Amino acid sequence: MTWWQSPRRQGERPAWRADMRRFRAGRRAARCAGADPSTAERPGPPPTGFTLLPWLLLGMGSLSNVIKGETPNPWVGGLGLLAFNSLYVYVTFRAFDRARRESASTRVALGLLGLVTTGLALGYGGNWLMFFPLLGLATGATVRGPWLGRVGLLLTLYAGAATWLRDGWDDASGIAYATFLSSMVTAAILGLSEAVRELRAAREELARRAVAEERLRFSRDLHDLLGHTLSVVVVKSEAARRLAPRDLDAALAQVSDIESVGRQALTEIREAVTGYREGSLATELARARSALSAASVEPVVRQTGAPLSPRTEALLGWVVREAVTNVVRHSRADRCEITVEATAERVRLTVTDNGTGSGVPSAGAGVGAGAGAGVGGTGLKGLAERLAAAGGSLTAGPAPRGGFTVTADLPVSGDLPVSGVQLATVAGTGAATTAADTAAADTAPADTAAATAPRAPRPPS
């Protein structure tokens, strides 16, 4: 194993090599994917120390003097030239990695580079003064942030003073200007390149997060939509099956309701795909009463306070949908109360039943607060996360007097109220709002009573 293949050397590889490998891998992946090179974004390879090596050609005049023997003590000049080039390469290659650039060894090497430059410039003058602009270039590549201006100005004055002491004022102004320009321009170009790459990386990360959020949103919407709709379809189908032998008109009304629910669900699923669906609380409350009545559960709906913003109504509508679905499927209740209380700052929604079931698909849910604390079931957990993101909370658990309670608390936000029907208190078995439920209750009381007989508990889904 050679020295550069040792584990220590492998761990000390600079970050620009990893960036270069990622760049080449991304370019190969783009070619394999068939991307159009004329329209694809081509940021280019990440900058490395190789981009600053050509500037060493400024020292060719000094090297020529050493080779031709025009320099006093050529061995000293040659060793100085070798030391300068070695330190320059060391500093510039470490300047493209932030951790290495800010390390103490890099700063020490930059200081030694300044000492070597000063010694060569004062000892030989002439072409050797061109090492000051190279020193400025290395300084601009290494020093970033608020200290750049001060260090660049001090280096410029230092280079001008050293040149003035060696060759007079005529060369001092040119060397000072070249030193200042090389340090400032190098720092600006490299800083801008680094900022562009960081912004591109941040944009890619935001794009990945947006995709993940959209997938999560769609999965939640699909669960809430299909879970509620299929539960209503099952309940109404059972009611139609029980009513068909005795009252065909009532059974047909239930079938008509199933058709309406299916069409509405199809519309909502299409809107959920585009992400523009906003639920209405009044609509969800009306659907909840219809579903509860069809399941032989007495609905009691109360709503007080000022109208709510569209976003708040949409979130509360999701809670009503999920809670009523769980009541119909898991609670084995015969009464369900839905209360909406809005104040100037917050709104609270409470869904309570008097059943003996758990009220959620998974048993053992306790009372909790916040996102997902004490909330059982996939739907309620997703709702808890949504409400927590909006500054609210969701609690779900057994009620003190029996049954199950779901409570949602949200801040009242938004300036545009939603126009809709303000629902009054509804009680009694005649609370069904759809024509199908009214017909079923009026035309066949005996059959409806038979249909509402106690049912065997269904296993949680």
Side-chain angles (χ1 to χ4, degrees), residues 279-281 284 312-322 349:
S280 170
L281 181 59
E284 293 298 337
T312 303
E313 283 211 1
L315 291 174
L316 294 181
W318 283 115
V319 177
V320 170
R321 179 189 292 258
E322 181 66 25
L349 167 68

Side-chain angles (χ1 to χ4, degrees), residues 352-401:
T352 304
D353 63 73
N354 62 347
T356 58
S358 65
V360 290
S362 59
V367 179
V375 177
T378 305
L380 291 180
K381 289 181 180 179
L383 288 174
E385 294 174 358
R386 291 190 184 191
L387 268 64
S393 62
L394 180 71
T395 60
R401 298 182 180 180

Side-chain angles (χ1 to χ4, degrees), residues 245-257:
R246 299 175 179 84
D247 193 329
L248 185 58
D249 292 337
L252 291 177
Q254 294 291 340
V255 173
S256 178
D257 274 0

Side-chain angles (χ1 to χ4, degrees), residues 73-457:
N73 300 320
W75 285 104
V76 175
L79 292 176
L81 189 61
L82 178 62
F84 178 89
N85 290 336
S86 302
L87 290 172
Y88 177 87
V89 171
Y90 179 82
V91 170
T92 54
F93 270 81
R94 295 176 67 89
F96 291 90
D97 184 275
R98 178 171 296 181
R100 293 169 177 261
R101 181 173 66 235
E102 297 175 356
S103 64
S105 59
T106 304
R107 302 301 170 88
V108 171
L110 184 62
L112 293 177
L113 183 65
L115 293 178
V116 173
T117 302
T118 303
L120 294 176
L122 294 179
Y124 295 109
N127 293 330
W128 298 84
L129 296 174
M130 295 303 298
F131 288 121
F132 275 116
L134 289 175
L135 175 61
L137 192 147
T139 302
T142 306
V143 181
R144 309 282 179 88
W147 288 95
L148 175 62
R150 303 173 186 176
V151 174
L153 182 60
L154 290 177
L155 181 60
T156 301
L157 296 176
Y158 180 78
T163 306
W164 175 72
L165 290 176
R166 174 63 188 181
D167 288 352
W169 175 251
D170 293 337
D171 293 337
S173 59
I175 295 298
Y177 177 74
T179 303
F180 178 79
L181 194 64
S182 62
S183 59
M184 294 296 107
V185 170
T186 302
I189 293 176
L190 296 183
L192 181 61
S193 175
E194 186 174 335
V196 168
R197 294 187 178 277
E198 290 178 354
L199 289 175
R200 183 177 289 111
R203 184 181 64 183
E204 294 175 355
E205 179 64 22
L206 290 175
R208 285 192 294 268
R209 291 186 180 183
V211 171
E213 289 292 333
E214 180 62 17
R215 289 175 177 172
L216 182 60
R217 180 201 68 81
F218 184 74
S219 63
R220 287 172 175 171
D221 286 1
L222 199 60
H223 169 273
D224 295 339
L225 281 173
L226 293 182
H228 173 80
T229 302
L230 294 179
S231 298
V232 173
V233 168
V234 170
V235 170
K236 287 186 174 291
S237 299
E238 292 178 351
R241 177 176 54 82
R242 287 191 294 266
L243 292 172
R246 299 175 179 84
D247 193 329
L248 185 58
D249 292 337
L252 291 177
Q254 294 291 340
V255 173
S256 178
D257 274 0
I258 294 174
E259 181 182 0
S260 299
V261 170
R263 292 183 183 275
Q264 182 64 27
L266 181 59
T267 302
E268 289 179 347
I269 290 176
R270 288 173 178 172
E271 292 174 350
V273 171
T274 59
Y276 293 109
R277 180 168 52 82
E278 291 291 343
S280 170
L281 181 59
T283 303
E284 293 298 337
L285 290 175
R287 293 177 183 172
R289 289 188 295 181
S290 176
L292 291 171
S293 299
S296 303
V297 180
E298 177 187 348
V300 180
V301 181
R302 302 183 181 93
Q303 183 174 5
T304 60
L308 306 175
S309 66
R311 175 175 175 78
T312 303
E313 283 211 1
L315 291 174
L316 294 181
W318 283 115
V319 177
V320 170
R321 179 189 292 258
E322 181 66 25
V324 170
T325 301
N326 290 334
V327 169
V328 172
R329 299 174 62 185
H330 308 291
S331 68
R332 301 190 292 275
D334 55 18
R335 179 183 174 87
C336 179
E337 296 184 4
I338 304 175
T339 305
V340 182
E341 299 175 346
T343 62
E345 296 181 355
R346 301 191 72 84
V347 58
R348 172 167 295 195
L349 167 68
T350 305
V351 181
T352 304
D353 63 73
N354 62 347
T356 58
S358 65
V360 290
S362 59
V367 179
V375 177
T378 305
L380 291 180
K381 289 181 180 179
L383 288 174
E385 294 174 358
R386 291 190 184 191
L387 268 64
S393 62
L394 180 71
T395 60
R401 298 182 180 180
F404 198 84
T405 301
V406 176
T407 304
D409 187 81
L410 275 173
V412 177
S413 59
D415 300 329
L416 298 177
V418 178
S419 60
V421 179
Q422 299 298 326
L423 301 177
T425 301
V426 181
T429 57
T433 56
T434 61
D437 298 320
T438 304
D442 293 341
T443 58
D447 298 333
T448 305
T452 60
R455 295 164 291 172

